[in-house]
Amino acid sequence: MKECDKFREECGVFGVFCRESERDVSALVYYGLFALQHRGQESAGIAALKNGVIECRKGMGLVGDVFRGGEAREMRGPAAVGHVRYSTAGASSLENAQPFVSRFKLGSIAAVHNGTLTNAEVVRELLEDAGIGFTSSSDSEVIVNLIAKNYKKGLEKALTDTIQSIKGSYALIVLTDNAMVGARDPNGIRPLCLGKISDGWVLSSESCAVDAIGGEFVRDVEPGEMVIVSNEQVLSFTFSEKTRRASCAFEYVYFARPDSIIDGVDVYGARARAGEILARERPVDADLVVGVPDSGVPAAIGYGRAADVRFGTGIVKSKYVGRTFIAPDQNARERAAAVKYNALKSEVKGQRVVLIDDSIVRGTTSRRLVSVLKEAGAAEVHIRICSPPVKFPCFFGIDTPHRKDLISNSSGGINELCQSLGADSLAFLSVEGLLESLDGKEGYCLGCFIGEYPIPVRVEAAWGDLYDIQQFEKEAGYKKPV
Ligand code: 5GP
Ligand code: MG
């Protein structure tokens, strides 16, 4: 079992449907997946429609490793979907890699999913009782098998029935032998958008991947909406009456690429605003603002602007230590951080530095960077974090570390935390400040910050004995569903 040292990045989904049957869309999906690589680096896969048959290739590793030597190009056809995934288990995860393909009497379908179903076990049991076999332990396979089981009712009915049976978070793309369908859960927790290319349509986790293939962003898929793209037309259905948008706020803080626009809010802008607000909420006398590359940089630019303190590159990051750098223990994690970051001595020497990062999970990054900056001669290091403390687990697609390892839960409070990081001061953005940076007061899931969730969650099922459930319920105000 791999050490869970961070939130696990979730997944990225991408699909293209073209009318022109000679078009090489697998290559487009391949490029789209590159643009979504930050959302998952452990496995990648593409399923393409070729002469009416769905063909699928997937493997462990980065998109470029799985589709070496232009393999994706060989899968020519008018429609294809792809997936990048960050799995939670080690060697056995190939079976959990996506797309999932199901071939049955009436046709075949492929599906890619980002999110977590909260009732997957129940639905899975019902399907198994009905004699349907599973090849993986993934909740996403439940979706494919449900659609396949309902398929004789027709595609639309099969999809709406399926969607009405599943609960949790999902940004979903389904490829059939004559259509591509996108659906987003009634809270829209995970992002999904619609784009256009000259002769077809695109569905993507993030708009940056639509840009990457030269497409045009059209709009976000709405919470509780299903979009069906076929040769004739693009249809939209609202499958859920009770929709209340609760987009994941952590997408804006860390997960998404800064050049994406999600639910009308541009990620870079939100990060820069968060920095500005933090400068207002938590000012400090300083000479230099430094952002932790890469995701802390937009906020640092905003902080510097609002505080009228010079923004500079005080830290250099190795491009080749990936987000997946596997670190089995705390020692190794610290070494990993040392390989990953170094200070620019000429910039930071003698300076009072404000060090801006997007979030603190275990505190490894901040601790390392404070010591790197001080060794390089920084006079003071003040940590400013552009999100509220992460204190609670996520049940909707992000696999959080054990609660006890979220450093913001440590008992000594913020002063002790500041000391343990070796910093001269430490402060976080407020929840109100985060919402302000997102241009709104509501419409976001803040579960990992405040412990309130848009959908009831079964703590026991999701966390087993990892976790002191009663303590969590007390602190989170979470009530057991009856
Ligand atoms: P820490 O070092 O405190 O454990 O984690 C915080 C750092 O990790 C920040 O620099 C942040 O950008 C990054 N981070 C936050 N969430 C995630 C995640 O889900 N996965 C990975 N790999 N890094 C993350
Ligand atoms: Mg970072």
Side-chain angles (χ1 to χ4, degrees), residues 222-267:
E222 295 296 320
E225 185 193 11
M226 187 159 83
V227 176
I228 304 185
V229 184
S230 67
N231 268 331
E232 296 82 45
Q233 58 202 339
V234 179
L235 292 173
S236 158
F237 294 92
T238 305
F239 60 80
S240 166
E241 288 142 34
K242 280 188 269 158
T243 63
R244 185 176 70 85
R245 192 167 73 87
S247 330
C248 168
F250 215 77
E251 290 280 351
Y252 299 93
V253 170
Y254 171 79
F255 289 127
R257 240 171 67 162
D259 51 336
S260 288
I261 299 172
I262 300 175
D263 291 330
V265 176
D266 93 281
V267 175

Short mmCIF file of all heavy atoms in Angstrom, two decimals, residues 222-267:
data_model
loop_
_atom_site.label_atom_id
_atom_site.label_comp_id
_atom_site.label_asym_id
_atom_site.label_seq_id
_atom_site.Cartn_x
_atom_site.Cartn_y
_atom_site.Cartn_z
N GLU A 222 -24.14 21.71 -16.89
CA GLU A 222 -24.73 22.17 -15.64
C GLU A 222 -24.87 21.00 -14.64
O GLU A 222 -24.99 19.84 -15.05
CB GLU A 222 -26.13 22.74 -15.90
CG GLU A 222 -26.14 24.00 -16.74
CD GLU A 222 -25.44 25.16 -16.05
OE1 GLU A 222 -25.61 25.30 -14.83
OE2 GLU A 222 -24.71 25.90 -16.74
N PRO A 223 -24.89 21.31 -13.34
CA PRO A 223 -25.20 20.26 -12.37
C PRO A 223 -26.54 19.60 -12.73
O PRO A 223 -27.49 20.31 -13.06
CB PRO A 223 -25.33 21.03 -11.05
CG PRO A 223 -24.53 22.27 -11.24
CD PRO A 223 -24.64 22.61 -12.71
N GLY A 224 -26.57 18.28 -12.71
CA GLY A 224 -27.82 17.57 -13.02
C GLY A 224 -28.19 17.59 -14.49
O GLY A 224 -29.32 17.32 -14.84
N GLU A 225 -27.21 17.90 -15.35
CA GLU A 225 -27.51 17.95 -16.79
C GLU A 225 -26.84 16.81 -17.52
O GLU A 225 -25.74 16.37 -17.15
CB GLU A 225 -27.01 19.28 -17.39
CG GLU A 225 -27.40 19.43 -18.86
CD GLU A 225 -26.69 20.57 -19.60
OE1 GLU A 225 -25.75 21.14 -19.06
OE2 GLU A 225 -27.07 20.85 -20.74
N MET A 226 -27.54 16.33 -18.58
CA MET A 226 -26.95 15.32 -19.44
C MET A 226 -26.94 15.88 -20.86
O MET A 226 -27.94 16.44 -21.31
CB MET A 226 -27.82 14.07 -19.38
CG MET A 226 -27.27 12.89 -20.07
SD MET A 226 -28.05 11.41 -19.42
CE MET A 226 -29.52 11.41 -20.36
N VAL A 227 -25.81 15.76 -21.52
CA VAL A 227 -25.68 16.27 -22.89
C VAL A 227 -25.44 15.07 -23.80
O VAL A 227 -24.53 14.28 -23.55
CB VAL A 227 -24.47 17.23 -22.98
CG1 VAL A 227 -24.26 17.70 -24.41
CG2 VAL A 227 -24.66 18.43 -22.06
N ILE A 228 -26.27 14.92 -24.82
CA ILE A 228 -26.10 13.79 -25.74
C ILE A 228 -25.69 14.32 -27.11
O ILE A 228 -26.41 15.07 -27.74
CB ILE A 228 -27.42 12.97 -25.88
CG1 ILE A 228 -27.87 12.50 -24.49
CG2 ILE A 228 -27.22 11.79 -26.82
CD1 ILE A 228 -29.08 11.60 -24.52
N VAL A 229 -24.49 13.91 -27.53
CA VAL A 229 -23.96 14.36 -28.82
C VAL A 229 -24.08 13.19 -29.80
O VAL A 229 -23.54 12.11 -29.54
CB VAL A 229 -22.47 14.75 -28.70
CG1 VAL A 229 -21.95 15.30 -30.01
CG2 VAL A 229 -22.25 15.74 -27.57
N SER A 230 -24.79 13.41 -30.91
CA SER A 230 -24.87 12.34 -31.91
C SER A 230 -24.64 12.96 -33.28
O SER A 230 -24.39 14.16 -33.39
CB SER A 230 -26.23 11.65 -31.85
OG SER A 230 -27.22 12.57 -32.25
N ASN A 231 -24.75 12.15 -34.34
CA ASN A 231 -24.54 12.67 -35.69
C ASN A 231 -25.50 13.78 -36.04
O ASN A 231 -25.17 14.70 -36.76
CB ASN A 231 -24.70 11.53 -36.70
CG ASN A 231 -23.37 10.89 -36.98
OD1 ASN A 231 -22.34 11.55 -36.89
ND2 ASN A 231 -23.39 9.61 -37.30
N GLU A 232 -26.70 13.67 -35.50
CA GLU A 232 -27.74 14.62 -35.89
C GLU A 232 -27.67 15.91 -35.09
O GLU A 232 -27.90 16.99 -35.60
CB GLU A 232 -29.15 14.03 -35.70
CG GLU A 232 -29.46 12.82 -36.58
CD GLU A 232 -28.91 11.52 -36.01
OE1 GLU A 232 -29.09 11.33 -34.80
OE2 GLU A 232 -28.29 10.74 -36.75
N GLN A 233 -27.44 15.78 -33.80
CA GLN A 233 -27.63 16.96 -32.97
C GLN A 233 -26.96 16.85 -31.60
O GLN A 233 -26.41 15.81 -31.26
CB GLN A 233 -29.13 17.15 -32.73
CG GLN A 233 -29.75 15.92 -32.07
CD GLN A 233 -31.25 15.83 -32.31
OE1 GLN A 233 -31.89 16.82 -32.61
NE2 GLN A 233 -31.80 14.65 -32.18
N VAL A 234 -27.05 17.93 -30.83
CA VAL A 234 -26.63 17.92 -29.44
C VAL A 234 -27.88 18.18 -28.61
O VAL A 234 -28.52 19.21 -28.75
CB VAL A 234 -25.59 19.03 -29.16
CG1 VAL A 234 -25.19 19.00 -27.69
CG2 VAL A 234 -24.37 18.83 -30.02
N LEU A 235 -28.24 17.22 -27.76
CA LEU A 235 -29.43 17.37 -26.93
C LEU A 235 -29.02 17.58 -25.49
O LEU A 235 -28.01 17.06 -25.04
CB LEU A 235 -30.27 16.08 -27.00
CG LEU A 235 -30.94 15.75 -28.32
CD1 LEU A 235 -31.58 14.37 -28.23
CD2 LEU A 235 -31.98 16.81 -28.64
N SER A 236 -29.85 18.31 -24.76
CA SER A 236 -29.56 18.51 -23.35
C SER A 236 -30.80 18.15 -22.52
O SER A 236 -31.91 18.55 -22.85
CB SER A 236 -29.18 19.97 -23.12
OG SER A 236 -29.38 20.31 -21.77
N PHE A 237 -30.58 17.38 -21.45
CA PHE A 237 -31.65 17.02 -20.53
C PHE A 237 -31.25 17.41 -19.13
O PHE A 237 -30.09 17.31 -18.77
CB PHE A 237 -31.85 15.50 -20.46
CG PHE A 237 -32.34 14.88 -21.71
CD1 PHE A 237 -31.45 14.39 -22.65
CD2 PHE A 237 -33.70 14.77 -21.92
CE1 PHE A 237 -31.90 13.80 -23.81
CE2 PHE A 237 -34.16 14.18 -23.08
CZ PHE A 237 -33.27 13.70 -24.03
N THR A 238 -32.24 17.79 -18.35
CA THR A 238 -31.97 17.95 -16.92
C THR A 238 -32.56 16.72 -16.26
O THR A 238 -33.75 16.48 -16.36
CB THR A 238 -32.66 19.22 -16.39
OG1 THR A 238 -32.22 20.30 -17.18
CG2 THR A 238 -32.29 19.47 -14.94
N PHE A 239 -31.70 15.91 -15.65
CA PHE A 239 -32.21 14.65 -15.12
C PHE A 239 -32.54 14.73 -13.64
O PHE A 239 -33.08 13.81 -13.06
CB PHE A 239 -31.24 13.49 -15.40
CG PHE A 239 -29.88 13.69 -14.79
CD1 PHE A 239 -29.67 13.42 -13.46
CD2 PHE A 239 -28.81 14.14 -15.57
CE1 PHE A 239 -28.41 13.60 -12.89
CE2 PHE A 239 -27.57 14.32 -15.01
CZ PHE A 239 -27.36 14.06 -13.67
N SER A 240 -32.20 15.83 -13.02
CA SER A 240 -32.47 15.92 -11.59
C SER A 240 -33.16 17.24 -11.30
O SER A 240 -32.73 18.29 -11.76
CB SER A 240 -31.15 15.83 -10.84
OG SER A 240 -31.33 16.22 -9.51
N GLU A 241 -34.25 17.18 -10.58
CA GLU A 241 -34.95 18.43 -10.24
C GLU A 241 -34.21 19.16 -9.14
O GLU A 241 -34.15 20.36 -9.10
CB GLU A 241 -36.38 18.15 -9.76
CG GLU A 241 -37.31 17.71 -10.88
CD GLU A 241 -38.26 16.64 -10.41
OE1 GLU A 241 -38.68 16.67 -9.23
OE2 GLU A 241 -38.56 15.75 -11.23
N LYS A 242 -33.71 18.35 -8.21
CA LYS A 242 -33.08 18.99 -7.05
C LYS A 242 -31.61 19.24 -7.31
O LYS A 242 -30.75 18.44 -6.95
CB LYS A 242 -33.25 18.11 -5.81
CG LYS A 242 -34.63 18.26 -5.19
CD LYS A 242 -34.71 17.55 -3.88
CE LYS A 242 -35.19 16.13 -4.12
NZ LYS A 242 -34.88 15.17 -3.13
N THR A 243 -31.29 20.32 -7.98
CA THR A 243 -29.88 20.61 -8.18
C THR A 243 -29.50 21.81 -7.33
O THR A 243 -30.23 22.79 -7.24
CB THR A 243 -29.55 20.92 -9.65
OG1 THR A 243 -30.24 22.10 -10.02
CG2 THR A 243 -29.94 19.80 -10.57
N ARG A 244 -28.38 21.67 -6.66
CA ARG A 244 -27.84 22.80 -5.92
C ARG A 244 -26.34 22.75 -6.18
O ARG A 244 -25.67 21.80 -5.78
CB ARG A 244 -28.12 22.63 -4.42
CG ARG A 244 -27.67 23.85 -3.60
CD ARG A 244 -28.08 23.67 -2.14
NE ARG A 244 -27.31 22.62 -1.47
CZ ARG A 244 -26.12 22.82 -0.91
NH1 ARG A 244 -25.57 24.00 -0.93
NH2 ARG A 244 -25.48 21.83 -0.31
N ARG A 245 -25.86 23.75 -6.88
CA ARG A 245 -24.46 23.70 -7.26
C ARG A 245 -23.55 23.71 -6.03
O ARG A 245 -23.77 24.48 -5.10
CB ARG A 245 -24.12 24.88 -8.17
CG ARG A 245 -22.78 24.74 -8.85
CD ARG A 245 -22.62 25.76 -9.97
NE ARG A 245 -22.42 27.10 -9.46
CZ ARG A 245 -21.22 27.60 -9.13
NH1 ARG A 245 -20.14 26.86 -9.25
NH2 ARG A 245 -21.12 28.82 -8.68
N ALA A 246 -22.59 22.82 -6.00
CA ALA A 246 -21.61 22.76 -4.92
C ALA A 246 -20.29 22.34 -5.54
O ALA A 246 -19.76 21.27 -5.26
CB ALA A 246 -22.06 21.79 -3.84
N SER A 247 -19.75 23.20 -6.43
CA SER A 247 -18.47 22.87 -7.08
C SER A 247 -17.38 22.80 -6.03
O SER A 247 -17.34 23.60 -5.11
CB SER A 247 -18.04 23.93 -8.10
OG SER A 247 -19.12 24.56 -8.69
N CYS A 248 -16.46 21.86 -6.23
CA CYS A 248 -15.36 21.66 -5.29
C CYS A 248 -14.47 22.91 -5.25
O CYS A 248 -13.88 23.30 -6.26
CB CYS A 248 -14.54 20.46 -5.77
SG CYS A 248 -12.95 20.29 -4.94
N ALA A 249 -14.35 23.52 -4.07
CA ALA A 249 -13.53 24.73 -3.96
C ALA A 249 -12.05 24.41 -4.12
O ALA A 249 -11.26 25.25 -4.56
CB ALA A 249 -13.78 25.41 -2.61
N PHE A 250 -11.66 23.18 -3.81
CA PHE A 250 -10.24 22.81 -3.91
C PHE A 250 -9.76 22.75 -5.37
O PHE A 250 -8.56 22.85 -5.64
CB PHE A 250 -9.97 21.49 -3.17
CG PHE A 250 -8.62 21.46 -2.52
CD1 PHE A 250 -8.39 22.13 -1.33
CD2 PHE A 250 -7.56 20.76 -3.09
CE1 PHE A 250 -7.13 22.12 -0.74
CE2 PHE A 250 -6.30 20.74 -2.50
CZ PHE A 250 -6.09 21.42 -1.32
N GLU A 251 -10.70 22.60 -6.30
CA GLU A 251 -10.34 22.70 -7.72
C GLU A 251 -9.65 24.03 -7.98
O GLU A 251 -8.66 24.11 -8.68
CB GLU A 251 -11.59 22.60 -8.61
CG GLU A 251 -12.23 21.23 -8.65
CD GLU A 251 -11.52 20.26 -9.59
OE1 GLU A 251 -10.63 20.68 -10.34
OE2 GLU A 251 -11.85 19.07 -9.55
N TYR A 252 -10.21 25.10 -7.42
CA TYR A 252 -9.68 26.44 -7.65
C TYR A 252 -8.40 26.66 -6.84
O TYR A 252 -7.49 27.37 -7.26
CB TYR A 252 -10.71 27.50 -7.26
CG TYR A 252 -11.97 27.40 -8.09
CD1 TYR A 252 -13.06 26.66 -7.65
CD2 TYR A 252 -12.04 28.03 -9.32
CE1 TYR A 252 -14.20 26.55 -8.41
CE2 TYR A 252 -13.18 27.93 -10.09
CZ TYR A 252 -14.26 27.19 -9.63
OH TYR A 252 -15.39 27.08 -10.40
N VAL A 253 -8.35 26.08 -5.64
CA VAL A 253 -7.18 26.25 -4.78
C VAL A 253 -5.97 25.54 -5.38
O VAL A 253 -4.88 26.10 -5.46
CB VAL A 253 -7.48 25.70 -3.36
CG1 VAL A 253 -6.21 25.66 -2.52
CG2 VAL A 253 -8.54 26.53 -2.67
N TYR A 254 -6.15 24.28 -5.79
CA TYR A 254 -4.99 23.49 -6.16
C TYR A 254 -5.13 22.63 -7.44
O TYR A 254 -4.25 22.63 -8.28
CB TYR A 254 -4.58 22.57 -5.01
CG TYR A 254 -3.53 21.56 -5.37
CD1 TYR A 254 -2.19 21.93 -5.46
CD2 TYR A 254 -3.88 20.25 -5.69
CE1 TYR A 254 -1.22 21.01 -5.85
CE2 TYR A 254 -2.91 19.32 -6.08
CZ TYR A 254 -1.59 19.70 -6.15
OH TYR A 254 -0.64 18.80 -6.54
N PHE A 255 -6.25 21.89 -7.55
CA PHE A 255 -6.28 20.84 -8.58
C PHE A 255 -6.21 21.35 -10.01
O PHE A 255 -5.45 20.85 -10.82
CB PHE A 255 -7.55 20.01 -8.46
CG PHE A 255 -7.56 19.15 -7.27
CD1 PHE A 255 -8.62 19.17 -6.38
CD2 PHE A 255 -6.49 18.32 -7.00
CE1 PHE A 255 -8.62 18.38 -5.26
CE2 PHE A 255 -6.47 17.53 -5.87
CZ PHE A 255 -7.54 17.57 -5.01
N ALA A 256 -7.06 22.31 -10.32
CA ALA A 256 -7.24 22.67 -11.72
C ALA A 256 -6.04 23.45 -12.23
O ALA A 256 -5.26 24.02 -11.46
CB ALA A 256 -8.51 23.50 -11.87
N ARG A 257 -5.89 23.46 -13.56
CA ARG A 257 -4.83 24.25 -14.16
C ARG A 257 -5.26 25.71 -14.16
O ARG A 257 -6.43 26.02 -14.35
CB ARG A 257 -4.58 23.74 -15.59
CG ARG A 257 -3.15 23.25 -15.76
CD ARG A 257 -2.94 22.57 -17.06
NE ARG A 257 -3.05 23.47 -18.21
CZ ARG A 257 -2.57 23.17 -19.41
NH1 ARG A 257 -1.93 22.02 -19.60
NH2 ARG A 257 -2.73 23.99 -20.42
N PRO A 258 -4.31 26.64 -13.97
CA PRO A 258 -4.71 28.06 -13.86
C PRO A 258 -5.37 28.60 -15.11
O PRO A 258 -6.11 29.57 -15.04
CB PRO A 258 -3.39 28.78 -13.57
CG PRO A 258 -2.31 27.82 -13.89
CD PRO A 258 -2.88 26.45 -13.73
N ASP A 259 -5.10 27.97 -16.27
CA ASP A 259 -5.69 28.51 -17.51
C ASP A 259 -7.06 27.92 -17.79
O ASP A 259 -7.61 28.10 -18.88
CB ASP A 259 -4.74 28.27 -18.69
CG ASP A 259 -4.26 26.83 -18.78
OD1 ASP A 259 -4.25 26.11 -17.76
OD2 ASP A 259 -3.89 26.41 -19.89
N SER A 260 -7.66 27.22 -16.83
CA SER A 260 -9.02 26.71 -17.02
C SER A 260 -10.03 27.68 -16.45
O SER A 260 -9.74 28.44 -15.52
CB SER A 260 -9.18 25.35 -16.33
OG SER A 260 -8.49 24.36 -17.05
N ILE A 261 -11.23 27.63 -17.01
CA ILE A 261 -12.35 28.38 -16.46
C ILE A 261 -13.40 27.35 -16.05
O ILE A 261 -13.81 26.53 -16.86
CB ILE A 261 -12.95 29.34 -17.51
CG1 ILE A 261 -11.86 30.33 -17.95
CG2 ILE A 261 -14.17 30.08 -16.96
CD1 ILE A 261 -12.26 31.20 -19.10
N ILE A 262 -13.76 27.35 -14.77
CA ILE A 262 -14.71 26.35 -14.28
C ILE A 262 -15.93 27.05 -13.71
O ILE A 262 -15.80 27.92 -12.86
CB ILE A 262 -14.06 25.47 -13.19
CG1 ILE A 262 -12.82 24.75 -13.76
CG2 ILE A 262 -15.05 24.46 -12.64
CD1 ILE A 262 -12.05 23.95 -12.72
N ASP A 263 -17.08 26.70 -14.19
CA ASP A 263 -18.34 27.30 -13.75
C ASP A 263 -18.25 28.83 -13.76
O ASP A 263 -18.69 29.51 -12.82
CB ASP A 263 -18.74 26.77 -12.37
CG ASP A 263 -19.15 25.30 -12.44
OD1 ASP A 263 -19.66 24.88 -13.49
OD2 ASP A 263 -18.94 24.58 -11.45
N GLY A 264 -17.67 29.34 -14.81
CA GLY A 264 -17.65 30.79 -15.00
C GLY A 264 -16.57 31.53 -14.21
O GLY A 264 -16.48 32.75 -14.29
N VAL A 265 -15.77 30.79 -13.43
CA VAL A 265 -14.73 31.46 -12.64
C VAL A 265 -13.36 31.04 -13.18
O VAL A 265 -13.07 29.83 -13.24
CB VAL A 265 -14.85 31.08 -11.15
CG1 VAL A 265 -13.72 31.70 -10.34
CG2 VAL A 265 -16.21 31.50 -10.59
N ASP A 266 -12.54 32.00 -13.55
CA ASP A 266 -11.24 31.58 -14.09
C ASP A 266 -10.28 31.29 -12.93
O ASP A 266 -10.21 32.03 -11.95
CB ASP A 266 -10.72 32.57 -15.14
CG ASP A 266 -9.81 33.62 -14.56
OD1 ASP A 266 -10.33 34.57 -13.97
OD2 ASP A 266 -8.59 33.47 -14.69
N VAL A 267 -9.61 30.17 -13.06
CA VAL A 267 -8.85 29.62 -11.94
C VAL A 267 -7.69 30.54 -11.57
O VAL A 267 -7.45 30.83 -10.39
CB VAL A 267 -8.36 28.19 -12.28
CG1 VAL A 267 -7.46 27.65 -11.19
CG2 VAL A 267 -9.55 27.27 -12.51
#
